Amino acid sequence: MEVYIDILFLENIVMNYMILWVTARFSKAGTSSLRLFLGALVGAVYVVVLILFPGIKVYYTTMAKVILSALMVAISFSIENFRRYFKILAIFYVSTFIFAGAAFSFLYLNKTGGFVKNGVFYVYWQSSKWTFMIFSILTVVIIGRIFWEEIQSRLIKDKLIVRLKVAFENKIADMSALIDTGNSLHDPLTNMPVVIVEFLALKDILPFEIQSIFENSKENDLSSVTDIVSKSNWFSRFRLIPFNSLGKENGMLIGFKPDYIELEENEEKKGVENVIIGIYNRSLSKNAKYRALLSPELIS
């Protein structure tokens, strides 16, 4: 059997990238396309080394593969702490198992030849490798979407939705908020937790000059934002908050210090003053069940 190293290398980059991308979607970890590519590249190089140097037995050990996956995750994502790192690593393994299951299912249904040797999976050349890859990717995307929607639905059913009131200059905005375990955002100046809220949910309590930023979609124009905020009477209450999200590093949210926020859960109310509101100019929920994301530390 002939093995084409260039094709094998390219296939592994594509598959590794998709696995890391799915991991990013589920973990909500900060990353970028470049970092995902570099992580995928490391995994592909490892496979090529296995093929070119079959005599180096240490590369075939379970420990070597665990180290490889740990390295891929470390390269691909912004890691805040060890707990967060191991959570992302666990999601990476689950994503890998889903891809592997989809691949073997396709082989079974399509009666395509293939085998595993030294931890490397081969598909016979006469079968269409690219059809195999595309089918596997589509299967994982569909399965992942179904599972993600089910997980989100269960989270909401488990009463992770609370009532949130934001008070600013004698005005109050009232909305539903989701307790989001992935929201660990803090204001770098004060270290206060940041509550992410949709602009439209806050619009009526914001100063007109701040409203204009979002109505004209200028929230990503740093020079315009800085100019408008610096001239506002509420300059001392507003600030810029850096954040990382999937596909976007070094992003910036416009935030402000409210008079206070009030959280209501199971008819119990809790007031919080040391908090920052981050304004988001898009919808946070497709079904509009919540319009804000809360850090769990605000509830405890």
Side-chain angles (χ1 to χ4, degrees):
M1 177 181 178
E2 294 182 346
V3 176
Y4 294 85
I5 297 297
D6 55 342
I7 295 177
L8 185 67
F9 181 68
L10 181 58
E11 288 176 342
N12 274 273
I13 288 180
V14 173
M15 295 300 286
N16 289 340
Y17 186 94
M18 289 303 302
I19 292 172
L20 290 168
W21 181 83
V22 170
T23 301
R25 293 284 294 184
F26 276 95
S27 67
K28 296 183 180 179
T31 186
S32 66
S33 298
L34 177 60
R35 295 188 68 165
L36 293 179
F37 173 77
L38 292 176
L41 183 63
V42 169
V45 169
Y46 172 80
V47 172
V48 171
V49 170
L50 290 181
I51 301 299
L52 295 180
F53 304 100
I56 307 178
K57 300 299 183 182
V58 67
Y59 290 132
Y60 300 108
T61 64
T62 301
M63 181 58 66
K65 294 172 183 177
V66 170
I67 293 173
L68 170 69
S69 57
L71 181 61
M72 290 173 65
V73 169
I75 292 173
S76 301
F77 302 101
S78 299
I79 308 298
E80 300 168 359
N81 50 59
F82 282 110
R83 182 179 180 182
R84 179 68 170 159
Y85 172 74
F86 286 117
K87 179 181 178 180
I88 297 172
L89 185 61
I91 294 174
F92 171 78
Y93 280 124
V94 171
S95 301
T96 301
F97 296 152
I98 293 175
F99 265 88
F104 279 106
S105 295
F106 178 69
L107 286 179
Y108 176 77
L109 294 174
N110 198 44
K111 297 181 180 180
T112 304
F115 64 93
V116 177
K117 181 179 181 181
N118 294 327
V120 181
F121 180 53
Y122 300 88
V123 178
Y124 290 129
W125 175 248
Q126 57 264 33
S127 62
S128 174
K129 290 186 176 182
W130 292 109
T131 301
F132 166 76
M133 288 180 61
I134 291 171
F135 181 86
S136 298
I137 290 171
L138 289 176
T139 301
V140 170
V141 170
I142 293 172
I143 293 174
R145 186 177 182 84
I146 292 172
F147 272 95
W148 181 246
E149 289 180 351
E150 180 64 20
I151 290 171
Q152 289 290 80
S153 175
R154 287 183 180 274
L155 285 176
I156 292 173
K157 289 179 180 179
D158 288 341
K159 297 183 179 180
L160 290 180
I161 298 290
V162 299
R163 205 71 199 165
L164 169 67
K165 291 182 180 180
V166 179
F168 182 79
E169 292 301 316
N170 300 318
K171 297 179 181 179
I172 294 179
D174 192 347
M175 70 209 71
S176 295
L178 174 69
I179 303 171
D180 182 13
T181 55
N183 179 14
S184 58
L185 189 61
H186 284 72
D187 175 29
L189 294 179
T190 62
N191 200 37
M192 294 181 187
V194 177
V195 179
I196 301 172
V197 184
E198 294 178 9
F199 163 65
L200 291 178
L202 294 168
K203 179 180 177 181
D204 292 340
I205 70 171
L206 294 174
F208 291 115
E209 60 270 26
I210 303 300
Q211 293 182 27
S212 68
I213 295 175
F214 295 92
E215 289 174 340
N216 296 315
S217 300
K218 291 184 177 181
E219 65 272 12
N220 294 318
D221 186 343
L222 187 58
S223 60
S224 294
V225 169
T226 303
D227 182 59
I228 294 173
V229 171
S230 64
K231 295 177 181 178
S232 171
N233 293 331
W234 313 109
F235 170 72
S236 62
R237 302 282 291 272
F238 284 84
R239 62 204 69 198
L240 296 178
I241 305 166
F243 73 95
N244 292 326
S245 64
L246 178 59
K248 185 175 183 179
E249 286 199 341
N250 303 319
M252 203 68 73
L253 279 177
I254 299 176
F256 68 93
K257 176 73 169 60
D259 299 334
Y260 65 90
I261 66 170
E262 183 181 272
L263 304 173
E264 182 177 350
E265 182 183 18
N266 298 326
E267 299 183 355
E268 294 185 2
K269 296 181 180 180
K270 176 184 178 182
V272 181
E273 293 184 357
N274 295 324
V275 69
I276 300 296
I277 303 297
I279 309 172
Y280 187 66
N281 203 16
R282 295 182 183 177
S283 297
L284 292 170
S285 169
K286 291 182 180 179
N287 50 23
K289 287 190 176 181
Y290 56 87
R291 306 187 72 181
L293 298 178
L294 290 171
S295 171
E297 70 179 273
L298 292 172
I299 301 298
S300 59

